Protein backbone atom coordinates (compact mmCIF):
# COMPACT_ATOMS: atom_id res chain seq x y z
CA UNK A 1 0.00 0.00 0.00
CA UNK A 2 1.28 3.45 -0.92
CA UNK A 3 2.30 5.43 2.14
CA UNK A 4 2.39 9.22 2.12
CA UNK A 5 4.15 10.91 4.97
CA UNK A 6 1.75 13.49 6.33
CA UNK A 7 2.92 16.48 8.40
CA UNK A 8 2.20 16.13 12.15
CA UNK A 9 -0.40 18.93 12.07
CA UNK A 10 -2.29 17.24 9.25
CA UNK A 11 -2.25 13.92 11.10
CA UNK A 12 -3.55 15.68 14.20
CA UNK A 13 -6.45 17.33 12.35
CA UNK A 14 -7.39 14.05 10.69
CA UNK A 15 -7.22 12.20 14.01
CA UNK A 16 -9.44 14.72 15.83
CA UNK A 17 -12.03 14.55 13.04
CA UNK A 18 -11.92 10.73 12.97
CA UNK A 19 -12.33 10.48 16.75
CA UNK A 20 -15.49 12.58 16.45
CA UNK A 21 -16.84 9.93 14.09
CA UNK A 22 -16.27 11.60 10.72
CA UNK A 23 -14.02 10.87 7.74
CA UNK A 24 -11.04 13.02 6.78
CA UNK A 25 -8.64 12.77 3.81
CA UNK A 26 -5.83 14.79 2.35
CA UNK A 27 -7.00 15.65 -1.21
CA UNK A 28 -6.01 17.24 -4.47
CA UNK A 29 -2.69 18.98 -5.09
CA UNK A 30 -0.97 17.78 -1.91
CA UNK A 31 -1.60 14.11 -2.74
CA UNK A 32 -0.41 14.63 -6.31
CA UNK A 33 2.76 16.42 -5.18
CA UNK A 34 3.52 13.84 -2.46
CA UNK A 35 3.36 10.98 -4.95
CA UNK A 36 5.69 12.94 -7.20
CA UNK A 37 8.11 13.43 -4.30
CA UNK A 38 7.55 17.19 -4.35
CA UNK A 39 6.95 19.30 -1.28
CA UNK A 40 3.22 20.30 -1.35
CA UNK A 41 2.58 24.03 -1.05
CA UNK A 42 -0.38 23.50 1.21
CA UNK A 43 -2.41 20.61 2.58
CA UNK A 44 -6.15 20.53 1.85
CA UNK A 45 -8.39 18.20 3.82
CA UNK A 46 -11.79 16.89 2.76
CA UNK A 47 -14.23 15.68 5.38
CA UNK A 48 -17.71 14.25 5.89
CA UNK A 49 -18.21 16.65 8.82
CA UNK A 50 -20.26 19.81 8.22
CA UNK A 51 -18.49 23.18 8.64
CA UNK A 52 -20.09 23.88 12.04
CA UNK A 53 -18.99 20.45 13.23
CA UNK A 54 -15.40 21.13 12.12
CA UNK A 55 -15.46 24.47 13.93
CA UNK A 56 -16.59 22.82 17.13
CA UNK A 57 -13.60 20.47 17.13
CA UNK A 58 -10.75 23.03 17.00
CA UNK A 59 -9.70 26.04 19.08
CA UNK A 60 -8.81 28.42 16.31
CA UNK A 61 -10.68 28.40 13.02
CA UNK A 62 -11.43 30.97 10.35
CA UNK A 63 -14.59 31.02 8.24
CA UNK A 64 -12.71 31.16 4.95
CA UNK A 65 -15.49 30.10 2.65
CA UNK A 66 -18.08 28.78 4.97
CA UNK A 67 -20.84 28.92 2.33
CA UNK A 68 -18.73 26.68 0.15
CA UNK A 69 -17.96 24.39 3.06
CA UNK A 70 -14.41 25.57 3.81
CA UNK A 71 -13.13 26.22 7.33
CA UNK A 72 -9.47 27.06 7.92
CA UNK A 73 -8.01 25.34 10.98
CA UNK A 74 -5.06 27.24 12.47
CA UNK A 75 -2.23 25.22 14.03
CA UNK A 76 1.23 26.57 14.79
CA UNK A 77 0.55 29.70 12.72
CA UNK A 78 -0.26 27.61 9.66
CA UNK A 79 -3.72 27.42 8.13
CA UNK A 80 -5.20 24.14 6.87
CA UNK A 81 -8.30 24.29 4.71
CA UNK A 82 -10.84 21.71 5.76
CA UNK A 83 -13.71 21.40 3.27
CA UNK A 84 -16.91 19.41 3.59
CA UNK A 85 -17.53 16.87 0.79
CA UNK A 86 -19.37 18.80 -1.85
CA UNK A 87 -20.25 19.03 -5.48
CA UNK A 88 -20.65 22.21 -7.42
CA UNK A 89 -24.17 23.06 -8.51
CA UNK A 90 -25.06 24.16 -12.02
CA UNK A 91 -22.48 26.37 -13.71
CA UNK A 92 -25.19 28.36 -15.43
CA UNK A 93 -22.79 30.94 -16.82
CA UNK A 94 -19.82 28.59 -17.24
CA UNK A 95 -18.09 30.77 -14.71
CA UNK A 96 -19.18 30.39 -11.11
CA UNK A 97 -21.02 27.51 -9.59
CA UNK A 98 -24.47 28.87 -8.76
CA UNK A 99 -24.45 26.93 -5.55
CA UNK A 100 -22.65 24.08 -3.90
CA UNK A 101 -24.31 21.01 -2.54
CA UNK A 102 -22.83 19.07 0.33
CA UNK A 103 -22.67 15.34 -0.28
CA UNK A 104 -22.06 12.37 1.94
CA UNK A 105 -19.34 10.45 0.14
CA UNK A 106 -15.73 11.10 -0.74
CA UNK A 107 -16.35 9.49 -4.14
CA UNK A 108 -18.83 12.17 -5.15
CA UNK A 109 -16.46 14.90 -4.01
CA UNK A 110 -13.59 13.47 -6.06
CA UNK A 111 -15.75 13.18 -9.18
CA UNK A 112 -16.26 16.98 -9.42
CA UNK A 113 -12.52 17.70 -9.53
CA UNK A 114 -10.82 18.76 -12.75
CA UNK A 115 -8.06 16.26 -13.64
CA UNK A 116 -7.31 12.68 -12.65
CA UNK A 117 -3.99 13.70 -11.10
CA UNK A 118 -5.85 16.22 -8.90
CA UNK A 119 -8.64 13.84 -7.90
CA UNK A 120 -6.92 11.50 -5.46
CA UNK A 121 -7.34 11.34 -1.69
CA UNK A 122 -5.33 9.75 1.07
CA UNK A 123 -5.44 8.89 4.73
CA UNK A 124 -3.39 6.47 6.79
CA UNK A 125 -6.19 3.99 7.45
CA UNK A 126 -7.56 3.65 3.91
CA UNK A 127 -4.42 4.53 1.96
CA UNK A 128 -4.68 6.06 -1.51
CA UNK A 129 -8.13 6.54 -3.00
CA UNK A 130 -7.62 6.74 -6.75
CA UNK A 131 -10.89 6.23 -8.62
CA UNK A 132 -9.92 7.66 -12.00
CA UNK A 133 -6.42 6.39 -12.69
CA UNK A 134 -4.61 9.46 -11.37
CA UNK A 135 -1.56 7.48 -10.38
CA UNK A 136 -1.24 5.90 -13.81
CA UNK A 137 -1.51 9.35 -15.41
CA UNK A 138 1.21 10.65 -13.10
CA UNK A 139 3.44 7.80 -14.22
CA UNK A 140 2.70 8.47 -17.87
CA UNK A 141 2.92 12.23 -17.54
CA UNK A 142 -0.63 12.94 -18.67
CA UNK A 143 -3.17 15.64 -17.88
CA UNK A 144 -6.60 14.10 -18.41
CA UNK A 145 -10.06 15.23 -17.36
CA UNK A 146 -12.06 13.29 -14.79
CA UNK A 147 -14.92 11.85 -16.84
CA UNK A 148 -16.06 13.45 -20.09
CA UNK A 149 -13.76 16.33 -21.01
CA UNK A 150 -16.37 18.34 -22.91
CA UNK A 151 -18.77 18.23 -19.97
CA UNK A 152 -16.08 19.30 -17.56
CA UNK A 153 -15.01 22.29 -19.67
CA UNK A 154 -18.62 23.28 -20.23
CA UNK A 155 -19.09 23.43 -16.45
CA UNK A 156 -16.06 25.68 -15.97
CA UNK A 157 -14.03 26.94 -18.91
CA UNK A 158 -11.15 27.99 -16.66
CA UNK A 159 -10.24 24.30 -16.53
CA UNK A 160 -9.09 24.65 -20.16
CA UNK A 161 -6.33 26.98 -19.00
CA UNK A 162 -5.64 24.88 -15.92
CA UNK A 163 -4.91 21.91 -18.18
CA UNK A 164 -2.10 23.78 -19.96
CA UNK A 165 -0.90 25.28 -16.69
CA UNK A 166 -0.51 21.87 -15.00
CA UNK A 167 1.12 20.40 -18.09
CA UNK A 168 3.64 23.31 -18.09
CA UNK A 169 4.35 23.00 -14.38
CA UNK A 170 4.89 19.26 -14.60
CA UNK A 171 6.22 18.94 -18.15
CA UNK A 172 3.27 16.68 -19.05
CA UNK A 173 1.34 15.99 -22.24
CA UNK A 174 -2.37 16.61 -22.45
CA UNK A 175 -4.49 13.56 -23.29
CA UNK A 176 -5.78 13.73 -26.90
CA UNK A 177 -9.48 13.63 -25.89
CA UNK A 178 -8.89 16.39 -23.37
CA UNK A 179 -7.00 18.42 -26.01
CA UNK A 180 -9.79 18.07 -28.56
CA UNK A 181 -12.33 19.32 -26.04
CA UNK A 182 -10.06 22.24 -25.15
CA UNK A 183 -9.79 23.28 -28.77
CA UNK A 184 -13.49 23.12 -29.44
CA UNK A 185 -14.58 24.84 -26.22
CA UNK A 186 -11.87 27.54 -26.19
CA UNK A 187 -14.42 30.30 -27.02
CA UNK A 188 -16.06 29.66 -23.63
CA UNK A 189 -12.99 31.29 -22.03
CA UNK A 190 -14.59 34.61 -22.99
CA UNK A 191 -17.08 34.01 -20.17
CA UNK A 192 -14.42 33.54 -17.51
CA UNK A 193 -13.37 36.51 -15.38
CA UNK A 194 -9.99 38.08 -16.19
CA UNK A 195 -8.88 37.73 -12.57
CA UNK A 196 -9.14 33.94 -12.74
CA UNK A 197 -7.55 33.83 -16.20
CA UNK A 198 -4.65 35.98 -15.06
CA UNK A 199 -3.90 33.68 -12.11
CA UNK A 200 -3.65 30.57 -14.26
CA UNK A 201 -1.79 32.42 -17.00
CA UNK A 202 0.84 33.65 -14.54
CA UNK A 203 1.35 30.16 -13.14
CA UNK A 204 2.08 28.96 -16.67
CA UNK A 205 4.37 31.90 -17.41
CA UNK A 206 6.36 31.27 -14.20
CA UNK A 207 6.51 27.50 -14.70
CA UNK A 208 9.58 25.59 -15.90
CA UNK A 209 7.93 25.38 -19.36
CA UNK A 210 6.72 28.84 -20.39
CA UNK A 211 7.18 27.70 -24.00
CA UNK A 212 3.81 25.94 -23.62
CA UNK A 213 2.54 29.38 -24.63
CA UNK A 214 2.90 28.05 -28.16
CA UNK A 215 0.42 25.28 -27.34
CA UNK A 216 -1.98 27.84 -25.96
CA UNK A 217 -1.75 29.60 -29.29
CA UNK A 218 -2.15 26.39 -31.31
CA UNK A 219 -5.22 25.38 -29.31
CA UNK A 220 -6.83 28.79 -29.88
CA UNK A 221 -6.66 29.81 -26.21
CA UNK A 222 -4.58 33.00 -26.41
CA UNK A 223 -6.96 34.16 -29.15
CA UNK A 224 -9.64 34.46 -26.46
CA UNK A 225 -7.85 36.74 -24.02
CA UNK A 226 -4.51 37.78 -25.57
CA UNK A 227 -5.07 38.02 -29.35
CA UNK A 228 -2.00 40.30 -29.57
CA UNK A 229 0.12 37.21 -28.94
CA UNK A 230 -1.44 35.46 -31.93
CA UNK A 231 -0.52 38.43 -34.12
CA UNK A 232 3.12 38.10 -32.99
CA UNK A 233 3.08 34.39 -33.78
CA UNK A 234 1.95 35.29 -37.29
CA UNK A 235 4.46 38.09 -37.95
CA UNK A 236 7.60 37.22 -39.91
CA UNK A 237 10.69 39.34 -39.53
CA UNK A 238 12.81 39.57 -42.61
CA UNK A 239 15.85 41.09 -41.03
CA UNK A 240 19.47 39.95 -40.55
CA UNK A 241 19.16 40.36 -36.77
CA UNK A 242 16.43 37.74 -36.58
CA UNK A 243 15.96 34.09 -37.35
CA UNK A 244 12.43 33.53 -35.97
CA UNK A 245 8.94 35.03 -36.25
CA UNK A 246 8.25 37.72 -33.65
CA UNK A 247 6.22 35.19 -31.64
CA UNK A 248 8.79 32.40 -31.63
CA UNK A 249 11.54 34.89 -30.76
CA UNK A 250 9.35 36.15 -27.91
CA UNK A 251 8.88 32.66 -26.49
CA UNK A 252 12.65 32.09 -26.62
CA UNK A 253 13.23 35.29 -24.66
CA UNK A 254 10.61 34.31 -22.09
CA UNK A 255 12.42 30.99 -21.64
CA UNK A 256 15.78 32.70 -21.29
CA UNK A 257 14.85 35.01 -18.39
CA UNK A 258 14.56 33.66 -14.84
CA UNK A 259 11.14 32.87 -13.31
CA UNK A 260 10.49 36.37 -12.03
CA UNK A 261 7.03 37.89 -12.49
CA UNK A 262 8.14 41.25 -13.89
CA UNK A 263 10.88 39.77 -16.10
CA UNK A 264 8.71 37.05 -17.62
CA UNK A 265 5.97 39.58 -18.40
CA UNK A 266 8.46 42.06 -19.85
CA UNK A 267 9.92 39.30 -22.03
CA UNK A 268 6.42 38.36 -23.19
CA UNK A 269 5.55 41.94 -24.16
CA UNK A 270 8.91 43.38 -25.23
CA UNK A 271 8.19 43.11 -28.98
CA UNK A 272 4.39 43.35 -28.83
CA UNK A 273 4.62 46.62 -30.79
CA UNK A 274 6.53 45.08 -33.69
CA UNK A 275 3.63 43.86 -35.86
CA UNK A 276 2.10 47.36 -35.86
CA UNK A 277 5.45 49.04 -36.64
CA UNK A 278 6.65 46.69 -39.36
CA UNK A 279 7.50 48.16 -42.73
CA UNK A 280 9.55 46.66 -45.57
CA UNK A 281 12.40 48.83 -46.74
CA UNK A 282 13.51 49.04 -50.38
CA UNK A 283 16.05 46.36 -49.60
CA UNK A 284 13.16 43.98 -48.71
CA UNK A 285 14.37 44.05 -45.13
CA UNK A 286 11.72 44.56 -42.43
CA UNK A 287 12.20 47.49 -40.05
CA UNK A 288 10.42 48.10 -36.77
CA UNK A 289 11.28 51.68 -35.83
CA UNK A 290 9.32 52.95 -32.82
CA UNK A 291 8.20 49.49 -31.71
CA UNK A 292 9.37 49.97 -28.12
CA UNK A 293 7.23 53.05 -27.53
CA UNK A 294 4.20 51.55 -29.31
CA UNK A 295 4.81 48.28 -27.44
CA UNK A 296 4.96 49.98 -24.08
CA UNK A 297 1.62 51.69 -24.72
CA UNK A 298 0.06 48.42 -25.89
CA UNK A 299 1.46 46.62 -22.85
CA UNK A 300 -0.21 49.07 -20.52
CA UNK A 301 -3.53 48.63 -22.27
CA UNK A 302 -3.30 44.83 -22.26
CA UNK A 303 -2.17 44.59 -18.66
CA UNK A 304 -5.01 46.84 -17.50
CA UNK A 305 -7.46 44.66 -19.40
CA UNK A 306 -5.94 41.62 -17.71
CA UNK A 307 -6.33 43.27 -14.27
CA UNK A 308 -2.70 43.45 -13.27
CA UNK A 309 -1.78 45.72 -10.36
CA UNK A 310 -0.37 49.20 -11.00
CA UNK A 311 3.13 48.52 -9.74
CA UNK A 312 3.62 45.46 -11.95
CA UNK A 313 2.24 47.42 -14.93
CA UNK A 314 4.63 50.30 -14.28
CA UNK A 315 7.72 48.09 -14.10
CA UNK A 316 6.84 45.93 -17.11
CA UNK A 317 5.98 48.94 -19.31
CA UNK A 318 9.25 50.61 -18.35
CA UNK A 319 11.28 47.53 -19.33
CA UNK A 320 9.41 47.25 -22.63
CA UNK A 321 10.01 50.94 -23.37
CA UNK A 322 13.77 50.72 -22.76
CA UNK A 323 14.55 47.18 -23.92
CA UNK A 324 16.02 48.39 -27.20
CA UNK A 325 17.99 51.32 -25.73
CA UNK A 326 21.70 51.51 -26.32
CA UNK A 327 21.86 49.39 -29.46
CA UNK A 328 22.76 52.06 -32.02
CA UNK A 329 24.68 54.52 -29.88
CA UNK A 330 28.11 54.44 -28.33
CA UNK A 331 27.73 53.63 -24.66
CA UNK A 332 29.36 56.23 -22.41
CA UNK A 333 29.20 56.60 -18.62
CA UNK A 334 27.02 59.66 -19.14
CA UNK A 335 24.57 57.77 -21.36
CA UNK A 336 24.29 55.10 -18.66
CA UNK A 337 23.61 57.64 -15.90
CA UNK A 338 20.70 59.09 -17.90
CA UNK A 339 19.40 55.60 -18.58
CA UNK A 340 19.63 54.79 -14.86
CA UNK A 341 17.59 57.90 -14.09
CA UNK A 342 14.92 56.98 -16.65
CA UNK A 343 14.66 53.29 -15.75
CA UNK A 344 15.31 53.60 -12.03
CA UNK A 345 18.27 52.17 -10.16
CA UNK A 346 16.28 49.20 -8.82
CA UNK A 347 14.86 48.14 -12.18
CA UNK A 348 18.06 48.60 -14.18
CA UNK A 349 19.54 45.12 -13.41
CA UNK A 350 16.35 43.52 -14.74
CA UNK A 351 16.68 45.59 -17.92
CA UNK A 352 20.13 44.07 -18.39
CA UNK A 353 18.83 40.52 -17.90
CA UNK A 354 16.09 41.21 -20.45
CA UNK A 355 18.56 42.67 -22.97
CA UNK A 356 20.88 39.67 -22.65
CA UNK A 357 17.99 37.26 -23.20
CA UNK A 358 16.79 39.32 -26.18
CA UNK A 359 20.19 39.12 -27.89
CA UNK A 360 20.57 35.41 -27.11
CA UNK A 361 17.31 34.80 -29.00
CA UNK A 362 18.38 36.74 -32.08
CA UNK A 363 20.60 35.63 -34.96
CA UNK A 364 24.41 35.73 -34.63
CA UNK A 365 24.50 38.91 -36.72
CA UNK A 366 26.54 41.51 -34.80
CA UNK A 367 26.13 39.44 -31.64
CA UNK A 368 29.66 40.27 -30.50
CA UNK A 369 29.05 44.02 -30.74
CA UNK A 370 25.79 43.69 -28.86
CA UNK A 371 27.43 41.77 -26.07
CA UNK A 372 30.20 44.36 -25.82
CA UNK A 373 27.54 47.06 -25.48
CA UNK A 374 25.88 45.14 -22.66
CA UNK A 375 29.21 44.73 -20.91
CA UNK A 376 29.59 48.51 -20.89
CA UNK A 377 26.00 49.10 -19.81
CA UNK A 378 26.78 46.93 -16.79
CA UNK A 379 30.25 48.30 -16.04
CA UNK A 380 29.24 51.97 -16.06
CA UNK A 381 26.16 51.18 -13.95
CA UNK A 382 28.33 49.57 -11.30
CA UNK A 383 30.85 52.39 -11.42
CA UNK A 384 28.12 55.00 -10.96
CA UNK A 385 26.87 53.17 -7.87
CA UNK A 386 30.37 52.63 -6.44
CA UNK A 387 31.23 56.30 -6.86
CA UNK A 388 27.95 57.33 -5.29
CA UNK A 389 27.00 59.54 -8.26
CA UNK A 390 23.71 61.37 -8.10
CA UNK A 391 21.16 59.55 -10.28
CA UNK A 392 17.84 60.97 -9.10
CA UNK A 393 16.34 63.90 -7.21
CA UNK A 394 16.99 62.13 -3.91
CA UNK A 395 20.73 62.35 -4.55
CA UNK A 396 20.76 66.00 -5.60
CA UNK A 397 22.78 68.31 -3.31
CA UNK A 398 19.87 70.76 -3.15
CA UNK A 399 16.32 69.97 -2.13
CA UNK A 400 13.10 71.91 -2.73
CA UNK A 401 13.54 73.38 0.75
CA UNK A 402 16.91 74.92 -0.20
CA UNK A 403 15.39 76.59 -3.25
CA UNK A 404 12.57 78.08 -1.16
CA UNK A 405 15.09 79.33 1.39
CA UNK A 406 16.97 80.96 -1.49
CA UNK A 407 13.81 82.83 -2.49
CA UNK A 408 11.87 80.63 -4.92
CA UNK A 409 8.14 80.05 -4.66
CA UNK A 410 6.83 76.51 -4.22
CA UNK A 411 5.15 75.24 -7.41
CA UNK A 412 5.71 73.78 -10.84
CA UNK A 413 8.61 76.10 -11.62
CA UNK A 414 10.48 74.80 -8.61
CA UNK A 415 10.00 71.21 -9.72
CA UNK A 416 11.18 72.13 -13.20
CA UNK A 417 14.29 73.83 -11.78
CA UNK A 418 15.19 70.69 -9.82
CA UNK A 419 14.80 68.51 -12.94
CA UNK A 420 17.05 70.86 -14.90
CA UNK A 421 19.68 70.69 -12.16
CA UNK A 422 19.48 66.90 -12.21
CA UNK A 423 20.14 66.92 -15.97
CA UNK A 424 23.23 69.04 -15.38
CA UNK A 425 24.50 66.78 -12.60
CA UNK A 426 23.94 63.65 -14.69
CA UNK A 427 26.23 65.17 -17.32
CA UNK A 428 28.72 66.56 -14.76
CA UNK A 429 28.68 64.54 -11.51
CA UNK A 430 31.31 66.84 -9.98
CA UNK A 431 28.84 69.75 -10.03
CA UNK A 432 26.65 68.16 -7.37
CA UNK A 433 27.36 70.76 -4.66
CA UNK A 434 24.95 73.20 -3.14
CA UNK A 435 26.95 76.32 -4.06
CA UNK A 436 27.51 75.30 -7.65
CA UNK A 437 23.87 74.37 -8.14
CA UNK A 438 22.50 77.59 -6.64
CA UNK A 439 24.93 79.43 -8.94
CA UNK A 440 23.39 77.60 -11.92
CA UNK A 441 19.91 78.70 -10.87
CA UNK A 442 21.08 82.34 -10.75
CA UNK A 443 22.65 81.95 -14.18
CA UNK A 444 19.33 80.63 -15.55
CA UNK A 445 17.37 83.46 -13.94
CA UNK A 446 15.42 81.31 -11.45
CA UNK A 447 16.86 83.27 -8.54
P1 LIG B 1 -1.37 24.29 -6.73
O1 LIG B 1 -0.19 23.56 -6.29
O2 LIG B 1 -1.10 25.16 -7.91
O3 LIG B 1 -2.13 24.99 -5.66
P2 LIG B 1 -3.62 22.55 -6.72
O4 LIG B 1 -3.87 21.21 -7.37
O5 LIG B 1 -3.62 22.60 -5.24
O6 LIG B 1 -2.31 23.14 -7.34
P3 LIG B 1 -5.73 24.48 -6.59
O7 LIG B 1 -6.15 25.48 -7.60
O8 LIG B 1 -5.16 24.96 -5.29
O9 LIG B 1 -4.70 23.52 -7.32
O10 LIG B 1 -7.00 23.55 -6.30
C1 LIG B 1 -7.00 22.52 -5.33
C2 LIG B 1 -7.80 21.31 -5.85
O11 LIG B 1 -9.16 21.69 -6.05
C3 LIG B 1 -7.30 20.80 -7.17
O12 LIG B 1 -6.28 19.83 -7.00
C4 LIG B 1 -8.57 20.20 -7.76
O13 LIG B 1 -8.81 18.91 -7.22
C5 LIG B 1 -9.65 21.11 -7.26
N1 LIG B 1 -9.98 22.23 -8.17
C6 LIG B 1 -9.49 23.49 -8.11
N2 LIG B 1 -10.01 24.27 -9.07
C7 LIG B 1 -10.86 23.51 -9.76
C8 LIG B 1 -11.73 23.73 -10.87
N3 LIG B 1 -11.80 24.92 -11.47
N4 LIG B 1 -12.49 22.70 -11.29
C9 LIG B 1 -12.41 21.48 -10.69
N5 LIG B 1 -11.62 21.21 -9.66
C10 LIG B 1 -10.85 22.19 -9.18
MG1 LIG C 1 -3.46 24.45 -3.99
Amino acid sequence: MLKISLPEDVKFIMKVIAQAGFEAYAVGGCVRDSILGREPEDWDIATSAAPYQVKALFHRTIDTGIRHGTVTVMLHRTGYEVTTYRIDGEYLDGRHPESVRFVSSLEEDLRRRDFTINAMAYNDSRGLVDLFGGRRDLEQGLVRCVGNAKDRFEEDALRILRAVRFSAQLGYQIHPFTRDAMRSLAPNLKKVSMERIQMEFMKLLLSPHPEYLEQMYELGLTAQFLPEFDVMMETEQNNPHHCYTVGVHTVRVVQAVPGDRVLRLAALFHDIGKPACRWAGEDHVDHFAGHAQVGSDMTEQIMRRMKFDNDTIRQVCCLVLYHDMGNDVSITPEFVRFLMRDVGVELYPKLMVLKDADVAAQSDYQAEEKRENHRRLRQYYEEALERGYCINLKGLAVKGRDLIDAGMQPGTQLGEALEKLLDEVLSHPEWNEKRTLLGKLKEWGYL
Side-chain angles (χ1 to χ4, degrees):
M1 189 165 98
L2 177 96
K3 182 111 176 71
I4 288 178
S5 94
L6 303 169
E8 286 307 314
D9 283 351
V10 174
K11 279 192 204 164
F12 173 78
I13 293 172
M14 292 181 14
K15 197 178 82 189
V16 170
I17 296 176
Q19 280 171 352
F22 303 105
E23 300 171 6
Y25 293 87
V27 278
C30 61
V31 176
R32 176 197 69 221
D33 290 343
S34 298
I35 296 175
L36 289 171
R38 298 172 175 226
E39 181 77 30
E41 266 192 42
D42 37 40
W43 291 82
D44 296 327
I45 294 163
T47 181
S48 57
Y52 76 92
Q53 292 168 320
V54 174
K55 286 177 65 168
L57 291 172
F58 298 95
H59 283 297
R60 289 202 51 217
T61 62
I62 303 168
D63 291 0
T64 319
I66 200 109
R67 282 184 40 234
H68 297 99
T70 303
V71 171
T72 298
V73 174
M74 294 301 301
L75 287 177
H76 305 111
R77 294 164 174 267
T78 308
Y80 299 90
E81 291 198 347
V82 179
T83 305
T84 305
Y85 296 157
R86 59 167 223 223
I87 51 179
D88 303 319
E90 293 278 308
Y91 285 82
L92 290 180
D93 56 355
R95 208 200 275 208
H96 303 290
E98 293 294 301
S99 60
V100 301
R101 193 154 63 76
F102 296 135
V103 293
S104 57
S105 76
L106 173 68
E107 285 67 18
E108 281 180 89
D109 181 279
L110 293 178
R111 196 167 302 128
R112 60 127 177 139
R113 292 174 185 268
D114 45 11
F115 307 111
T116 60
I117 57 173
N118 287 346
M120 292 181 280
Y122 176 88
N123 70 18
D124 282 332
S125 49
R126 189 164 161 197
L128 186 72
V129 182
D130 176 14
L131 306 173
F132 312 105
R135 212 173 158 194
R136 177 202 55 210
D137 286 342
L138 281 181
E139 273 156 22
Q140 299 190 349
L142 268 185
V143 174
R144 179 207 308 253
C145 282
V146 170
N148 182 290
K150 260 188 119 173
D151 293 345
R152 308 321 310 281
F153 293 140
E154 259 160 14
E155 286 164 359
D156 180 6
L158 185 74
R159 291 171 185 161
I160 298 171
L161 281 194
R162 286 173 60 86
V164 198
R165 184 264 275 198
F166 284 113
S167 74
Q169 285 180 323
L170 299 165
Y172 284 13
Q173 307 271 29
I174 299 172
H175 188 278
F177 292 170
T178 298
R179 273 182 79 88
D180 290 345
M182 288 165 70
R183 199 193 304 276
S184 62
L185 289 170
N188 285 9
L189 274 170
K190 286 241 160 70
K191 295 191 265 180
V192 178
S193 78
M194 260 308 175
E195 286 83 354
R196 295 179 80 208
I197 288 181
Q198 193 228 95
M199 258 167 59
E200 293 299 328
F201 184 70
M202 281 316 294
K203 285 187 178 180
L204 177 136
L205 203 60
L206 293 172
S207 77
H209 294 287
E211 71 278 12
Y212 283 36
L213 276 167
E214 286 178 47
Q215 281 198 44
M216 290 188 47
Y217 161 72
E218 283 157 17
L219 289 168
L221 310 188
T222 45
Q224 309 303 323
F225 64 93
L226 190 57
E228 296 87 349
F229 182 77
D230 293 43
V231 177
M232 287 202 289
M233 289 300 291
E234 290 149 17
T235 302
E236 299 284 338
Q237 27 188 7
N238 234 322
N239 176 304
H241 289 281
H242 290 283
C243 44
Y244 306 117
T245 64
V246 176
V248 172
H249 162 75
T250 292
V251 172
R252 298 284 167 276
V253 178
V254 171
Q255 280 181 289
V257 298
D260 167 273
R261 193 176 151 80
V262 166
L263 269 173
R264 286 266 162 106
L265 283 166
L268 174 67
F269 291 127
H270 78 285
D271 276 350
I272 198 95
K274 269 193 171 176
C277 294
R278 175 172 175 230
W279 58 277
E282 284 174 13
D283 42 4
H284 299 288
V285 170
D286 289 336
H287 299 273
F288 302 95
H291 79 277
Q293 175 67 61
V294 170
S296 181
D297 294 344
M298 284 177 70
T299 300
E300 175 166 4
Q301 220 187 358
I302 295 169
M303 288 183 75
R304 292 221 178 283
R305 190 180 75 211
M306 290 185 76
K307 311 283 185 207
F308 281 94
D309 61 282
N310 287 335
D311 190 50
T312 306
I313 295 176
R314 179 186 63 76
Q315 294 187 56
V316 173
C317 289
C318 180
L319 292 177
V320 172
L321 183 60
Y322 289 103
H323 81 272
D324 221 17
M325 264 296 170
N327 287 352
D328 316 317
V329 293
S330 63
I331 308 290
T332 62
E334 182 181 356
F335 175 87
V336 169
R337 289 194 295 272
F338 276 93
L339 187 58
M340 286 169 73
R341 190 262 315 261
D342 295 339
V343 175
V345 173
E346 302 79 27
L347 202 53
Y348 191 98
K350 285 191 185 177
L351 179 66
M352 293 315 302
V353 174
L354 177 63
K355 287 180 75 67
D356 283 344
D358 193 9
V359 167
Q362 292 172 357
S363 71
D364 290 335
Y365 180 68
Q366 292 182 345
E368 210 33 65
E369 289 89 329
K370 292 174 191 168
R371 274 193 282 271
E372 172 58 20
N373 268 359
H374 291 192
R375 197 190 59 70
R376 288 182 195 215
L377 285 167
R378 280 205 163 82
Q379 183 192 336
Y380 298 148
Y381 165 80
E382 274 153 26
E383 282 174 12
L385 290 184
E386 274 163 27
R387 296 179 189 173
Y389 285 156
C390 164
I391 298 299
N392 47 41
L393 290 179
K394 259 191 293 177
L396 208 58
V398 293
K399 307 274 177 258
R401 187 74 246 162
D402 301 307
L403 271 53
I404 292 168
D405 289 347
M408 275 188 78
Q409 296 296 319
T412 49
Q413 230 202 1
L414 188 142
E416 187 190 287
L418 287 169
E419 292 292 349
K420 266 184 89 168
L421 288 176
L422 178 58
D423 278 348
E424 290 296 304
V425 166
L426 288 169
S427 294
H428 310 281
E430 68 281 5
W431 290 1
N432 194 23
E433 279 176 354
K434 199 165 169 180
R435 237 174 34 139
T436 315
L437 297 182
L438 290 176
K440 278 277 152 203
L441 289 178
K442 282 211 186 80
E443 197 179 298
W444 294 334
Y446 280 104
L447 293 177

